[in-house]
């Protein structure tokens, strides 16, 4: 059912023109285009999505026009508000063969830890997996709330060292180590060495 408020409608006056081809968009513009696309697909107003995500309408408007700098937590909240995987809001243009430079892709910094997530590959329509490149520094751990039921996370450590805590146990990873764990349970990632990075594959049923 479509939700509307008195102060806005589905097609807000700001940013209603068709987005530019995705190949010409900056990372923030890619997020803006995807966010508006998914909001309209869900039949929701700016105010309703902002309310569901627990953010201000002005913040939501800024994200849809590409002028905002969303955090990882904000994007997770928006994905939950729209009832979609986070990857759909970070979806880069599809190519048969593609070299993705990290600096050209949408990256989301955490507001609670020195931790940055970059979507490397979204799940195609015939599969259910999203691939992220994670960069983290020692300090506050990144606390992750449970993802949808049935989610499994695969972690491959590329550099540094890290600790993952899940189901009451702690696992220390070195370079090249691979860990799989249920993503539908609370879990925590802590970088143990400077310059730590890892690849996360998030698999959902």
């Amino acid at each position: 059912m479509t939700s509307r408020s008195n102060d806005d409608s589905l097609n807000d006056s700001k940013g209603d023109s068709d987005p530019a081809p995705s190949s010409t968009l900056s990372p923030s513009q890619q997020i803006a285009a995807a966010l508006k696309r998914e909001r309209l697909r869900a039949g929701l107003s700016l105010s309703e999505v902002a309310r569901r995500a627990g953010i201000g309408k002005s913040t939501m408007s800024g994200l849809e026009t590409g002028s905002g700098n969303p955090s990882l937590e904000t994007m997770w909240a928006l994905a939950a508000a729209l009832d979609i995987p986070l990857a759909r809001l970070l979806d880069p243009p599809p190519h048969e063969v593609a070299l993705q430079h990290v600096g050209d892709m949408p990256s989301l910094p955490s507001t609670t830890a020195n931790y940055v997530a970059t979507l490397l590959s979204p799940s195609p329509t015939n599969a259910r997996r999203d691939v992220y490149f994670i960069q983290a520094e020692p300090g506050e751990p990144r606390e992750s709330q449970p993802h949808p039921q049935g989610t499994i996370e695969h972690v491959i450590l590329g550099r540094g060292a890290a600790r993952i805590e899940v189901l009451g146990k702690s696992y220390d990873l070195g370079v090249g180590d691979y860990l799989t764990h249920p993503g539908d349970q609370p879990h925590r990632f802590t970088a143990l060495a400077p310059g730590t990075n890892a690849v996360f594959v998030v698999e959902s049923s």
Side-chain angles (χ1 to χ4, degrees):
M1 182 175 69
T2 299
S3 297
R4 294 177 181 267
S5 64
N6 293 331
D7 58 344
D8 68 352
S9 62
L10 293 184
N11 294 310
D12 296 279
S13 59
K14 186 181 294 184
D16 273 343
S17 58
D18 291 335
S22 49
S23 60
T24 68
L25 300 179
S26 67
S28 62
Q29 290 171 328
Q30 289 180 44
I31 290 175
L35 184 56
K36 182 172 183 180
R37 179 192 69 221
E38 295 302 327
R39 177 177 67 79
L40 293 177
R41 181 178 294 171
L44 298 171
S45 68
L46 271 171
S47 292
E48 178 61 16
V49 175
R51 184 191 67 79
R52 293 185 182 190
I55 64 175
K57 183 188 172 185
S58 60
T59 299
M60 179 70 185
S61 179
L63 293 177
E64 277 206 5
T65 59
S67 60
N69 295 305
S71 68
L72 178 61
E73 289 77 15
T74 295
M75 294 304 292
W76 272 117
L78 287 168
L82 292 165
D83 195 26
I84 59 173
L86 173 61
R88 202 174 295 175
L89 296 178
L90 307 174
D91 196 352
H95 299 285
E96 186 175 10
V97 178
L99 171 62
Q100 300 279 4
H101 294 290
V102 170
D104 296 333
M105 296 182 288
S107 295
L108 301 176
S110 171
T111 58
T112 60
N114 194 336
Y115 180 104
V116 179
T118 302
L119 177 68
L120 299 181
S121 174
S123 176
T125 55
N126 61 344
R128 297 183 180 89
R129 58 105 184 107
D130 305 310
V131 183
Y132 294 89
F133 177 61
I134 302 300
Q135 302 170 79
E137 298 293 336
E140 289 298 316
R142 162 62 185 162
E143 304 275 358
S144 295
Q145 296 304 310
H147 305 317
Q149 187 173 4
T151 298
I152 298 173
E153 288 195 7
H154 306 264
V155 183
I156 303 169
L157 199 77
R159 186 170 67 181
R163 175 173 297 132
I164 293 178
E165 297 167 74
V166 63
L167 295 176
K169 295 185 178 180
S170 177
Y171 304 87
D172 287 356
L173 280 70
V175 175
D177 288 350
Y178 162 70
L179 174 73
T180 182
H181 69 82
D184 55 6
Q185 300 295 319
H187 47 286
R188 174 187 294 171
F189 180 98
T190 305
L192 302 178
T196 292
N197 65 44
V199 172
F200 278 23
V201 179
V202 181
E203 175 186 338
S204 58
S205 58

